[in-house]
Amino acid sequence: MRWLALPLVLGAALPASAETLVAARTLRAQTILGPDDVVVAEGTLPGTATDPGEVIGLETRVAIYQGRPIRPADLGPPAIVDRNQAVVLIYAAGALTITAEGRALGRGGVGDRIKAMNIGSRTTVSGVVAGDGTILIQRER
């Protein structure tokens, strides 16, 4: 069997040094990340955060232990609605808008889908948390 020797080309592209964000300390769930909570470590792992600017200000959805990589899937926007909090439910379809008092059955940030109970009818509905803390109910399809 004959092997072909490939010449080593100087200046060829070498793998770039990559960085991964890891937790500087143990972070409990529902912790809003600050600059002191993350550290840049050498090496790369698929599916992990690499830029501190992308994670600062986000909230942890699970506990992240010291030295463990930070995955974007473990983070989300800070919650503005807590479980059992009184909320306004808004249902809009065309020119029709219905508002009702509700109680959040989950916790969520802007854009998160959570369940809530309509206080008047005791019906459970699902909607998206808006920036002002109201829950926008969407018609089931």
Side-chain angles (χ1 to χ4, degrees):
M1 184 175 216
R2 190 171 179 198
W3 294 93
L4 294 175
L6 296 175
L8 177 63
V9 178
L10 295 177
L14 296 175
S17 169
E19 298 174 334
T20 298
L21 291 181
V22 297
R25 60 183 178 84
T26 298
L27 304 168
R28 294 178 42 199
Q30 303 176 3
T31 299
I32 296 177
L33 294 179
D36 296 336
D37 296 327
V38 297
V39 175
V40 177
E42 289 297 318
T44 184
L45 292 172
T48 59
T50 58
D51 181 15
E54 293 177 1
V55 301
I56 302 297
L58 294 180
E59 181 179 87
T60 58
R61 299 289 190 216
V62 297
I64 303 173
Y65 296 99
Q66 182 176 1
R68 295 289 178 137
I70 297 174
R71 300 179 314 147
D74 295 338
L75 307 174
I80 60 171
V81 173
D82 284 318
R83 187 174 193 283
N84 288 325
Q85 177 180 333
V87 294
V88 174
L89 306 175
I90 299 176
Y91 173 79
L96 174 68
T97 300
I98 301 171
T99 60
E101 292 181 18
R103 180 150 322 274
L105 299 178
R107 186 172 189 279
V110 176
D112 287 342
R113 177 171 286 283
I114 65 171
K115 291 188 179 200
M117 181 180 62
N118 180 324
I119 299 295
S121 67
R122 306 294 248 187
T123 303
T124 300
V125 295
S126 180
V128 176
V129 178
D132 60 357
T134 60
I135 299 178
L136 306 176
I137 309 303
Q138 293 153 346
R139 195 167 73 188
E140 298 294 321
R141 294 180 184 174

